[in-house]
Amino acid sequence: MSKGVSKRTAAALCAVCAVAAFGASTVLMQLQFEARLPDYAANNAIYTKLGEIRQRVDDYYVGEYDVQDAVDMACVGFITGVGDRWSGYMSKEEYETYMTSLEGQATGIGVYTTYDQEQNRLRIIEVYHGSGAEEAGLAHGDEIVGAGGKALETDGYQAVIDAIAGDEGTMAEVTVRRAATGQTETLSIERREVEATMVTGRMLDDETGYIYIYNFHQHADEQFEQTVDSLLEQGAQRLIFDVRNDPGGSVEVLSNMLDPLLPEGTIMTLRAKDGEEVVYSSDAAALDIPMAVLVNADSISAAEFFAAALQEYGKAIVVGEQTIGKGYSQRTYPLSDGSALRLSDNEYFTPQGKSLIGTGVTPDVPADLPDDKAKDFYFLSPEQDDQLIAARQALDELGA
């Protein structure tokens, strides 16, 4: 004969079941949490250690410090410890500046400069179209010797650069020494947001067009197309592309620039950590004239790949020095506080499936540039540039 269960016993059983269910749910939630954060224990140890360091600093350090600066430097140290020279950490301010430059925009008086530390000279390489500097008549080779009451000679490079920088629409007082006359004058120049010059071109003679590529940032592909078309309209029957001292840029921009130069086929293959691949390809239309590419040890990333792709397809002679051998592409990962990581997250391969890591691009025609000329690279005439001379001679021999 079955016995009934009392209300008190039933209530107790329900409570036990509820506790068991809660416990099971808690365990399940913990497992799900740990599945999402498999290195939870390791992460906790890191946070604990950083917390201990900050506590010791706050308790015993006799000086003053900025917590955010310390955190930024700790992040820099972590990425440095990864051991990849191409990855890095950017503070919020650095990230904002980086994104502006990556978009091909520049806010300021509108010049691209180079600084010679030994001679303490700040010279203008390019004056951007539509900029305040262009309106003020600044030109290639002019020297900036001061700004905002600061002088390069007495206050140093950074003080002058800081004085030139400022908000769009404001005025900068800049003292320049003219390359053409050697005279010094102070000008009031408006700070504007303009598109940076990333590709320039000119005719070296009646048949040779020369194109210098500063970088492969956004809009560089548009400037490249315009420059190539302009030189062809001027009668160029052969082209020299110069990517010396070019730090690289966007994979998409690189692909857009190579497409009109290459026949139908693979341009680049990107491979992620999980093995997933992305392939960039070119169509059948290809420029069919003699071409050469100038490279040096500072032709990095997209710059050396530009040369490698043209070389592998037999579309251009590569002239200059062995390149550095960078075979990773990077992506920017924004963080919650406005800072960001620049992280190598893909390996890339040439049209023939080769990695450039540790090898780089070997020139078809090796050519060096003496140190004294390399220091003055942006201000050499075509007759002074040994590597450019070698490229022109190589195209002459190809034509013969």
Side-chain angles (χ1 to χ4, degrees):
M1 182 176 177
S2 63
K3 296 182 179 180
V5 179
S6 69
K7 292 182 178 180
R8 180 176 297 179
T9 302
L13 288 172
C14 288
V16 169
C17 291
V19 169
F22 177 77
S25 298
T26 301
V27 170
L28 181 60
M29 290 173 64
Q30 181 68 21
L31 290 173
Q32 290 175 338
F33 180 72
E34 290 181 357
R36 277 190 239 163
L37 294 173
D39 294 327
Y40 172 76
N43 287 341
N44 189 55
I46 293 172
Y47 304 145
T48 300
K49 184 173 183 178
L50 288 174
E52 289 176 356
I53 291 173
R54 180 180 179 182
Q55 192 62 55
R56 297 297 184 276
V57 171
D58 288 345
D59 288 346
Y60 303 112
Y61 179 54
V62 294
E64 296 181 356
Y65 79 103
D66 184 283
V67 174
Q68 188 57 54
D69 287 346
V71 171
D72 284 336
M73 289 306 297
C75 295
V76 169
F78 187 95
I79 296 300
T80 301
V82 169
D84 177 32
R85 63 178 294 188
W86 311 113
S87 296
Y89 168 82
M90 292 174 280
S91 67
K92 180 180 179 180
E93 294 75 17
E94 290 170 336
Y95 178 48
E96 290 172 352
T97 301
Y98 169 76
M99 289 304 295
T100 299
S101 66
L102 199 63
E103 292 166 1
Q105 299 297 117
T107 299
I109 64 172
V111 293
Y112 182 51
T113 60
T114 181
Y115 177 64
D116 185 326
Q117 188 172 6
E118 289 184 10
Q119 298 184 23
N120 196 29
R121 298 178 72 188
L122 180 61
R123 287 188 285 177
I124 295 173
I125 301 171
E126 288 288 341
V127 178
Y128 299 154
H129 178 66
S131 66
E134 182 183 54
E135 189 174 282
L138 296 189
H140 171 81
D142 287 350
E143 290 187 49
I144 297 176
V145 296
K150 302 293 184 180
L152 198 63
E153 185 175 356
T154 56
D155 300 295
Y157 166 78
Q158 194 59 54
V160 172
I161 290 297
D162 291 343
I164 294 173
D167 296 331
E168 181 182 2
T170 59
M171 306 300 290
E173 301 297 319
V174 183
T175 304
V176 299
R177 181 180 296 117
R178 297 291 190 177
T181 64
Q183 295 182 337
T184 301
E185 58 182 309
T186 298
L187 305 167
S188 184
I189 304 176
E190 182 182 2
R191 301 180 178 101
R192 301 173 183 170
E193 182 174 313
V194 295
E195 184 174 291
T197 299
M198 291 165 281
V199 181
T200 62
R202 65 182 187 273
M203 295 295 292
L204 297 179
D205 52 50
D206 291 341
E207 61 177 14
T208 308
Y210 168 83
I211 297 174
Y212 185 76
I213 304 171
Y214 284 101
N215 58 59
F216 290 81
H217 292 171
Q218 189 174 340
H219 303 303
D221 47 357
E222 300 163 14
Q223 294 183 16
F224 181 78
E225 181 180 5
Q226 294 166 2
T227 304
V228 170
D229 289 346
S230 175
L231 293 178
L232 293 176
E233 289 172 3
Q234 294 176 55
Q237 298 175 38
R238 59 188 196 176
L239 292 174
I240 297 174
F241 304 111
D242 192 344
V243 293
R244 290 175 294 176
N245 300 337
D246 183 327
S250 163
V251 169
E252 288 78 12
V253 170
L254 166 66
S255 178
N256 291 342
M257 292 166 72
L258 282 170
D259 186 6
L261 306 178
L262 299 178
E264 185 174 7
T266 297
I267 295 177
M268 170 187 282
T269 301
L270 293 179
R271 184 178 300 157
K273 187 173 184 177
D274 62 3
E276 183 179 352
E277 292 187 348
V278 175
V279 179
Y280 291 85
S281 302
S282 58
D283 58 28
L287 186 62
D288 190 21
I289 61 174
M291 294 181 284
V293 185
L294 282 166
V295 297
N296 65 7
D298 291 315
S299 300
I300 300 173
S301 189
E304 64 178 338
F305 196 97
F306 181 85
L310 287 167
Q311 184 185 54
E312 286 191 353
Y313 272 106
K315 295 293 293 183
I317 301 170
V318 176
V319 181
E321 306 164 11
Q322 187 80 21
T323 64
I324 196 169
K326 178 177 181 287
Y328 296 146
S329 67
Q330 290 72 42
R331 186 176 302 170
T332 303
Y333 293 87
L335 304 177
S336 58
D337 65 348
S339 60
L341 295 181
R342 184 77 174 153
L343 198 62
S344 295
D345 63 355
N346 274 278
E347 186 175 0
Y348 54 70
F349 300 89
T350 67
Q352 295 180 2
K354 298 176 182 178
S355 171
L356 297 179
I357 298 174
T359 58
V361 179
T362 301
D364 301 301
V365 180
D368 295 324
L369 193 64
D371 290 344
D372 58 330
K373 290 186 176 182
K375 287 178 58 178
D376 216 32
F377 170 76
Y378 293 106
F379 307 98
L380 298 176
S381 69
E383 295 73 31
Q384 296 172 315
D385 188 337
D386 298 358
Q387 292 172 326
L388 178 56
I389 292 170
R392 297 174 75 175
Q393 289 175 344
L395 288 177
D396 287 342
E397 293 172 7
L398 182 66

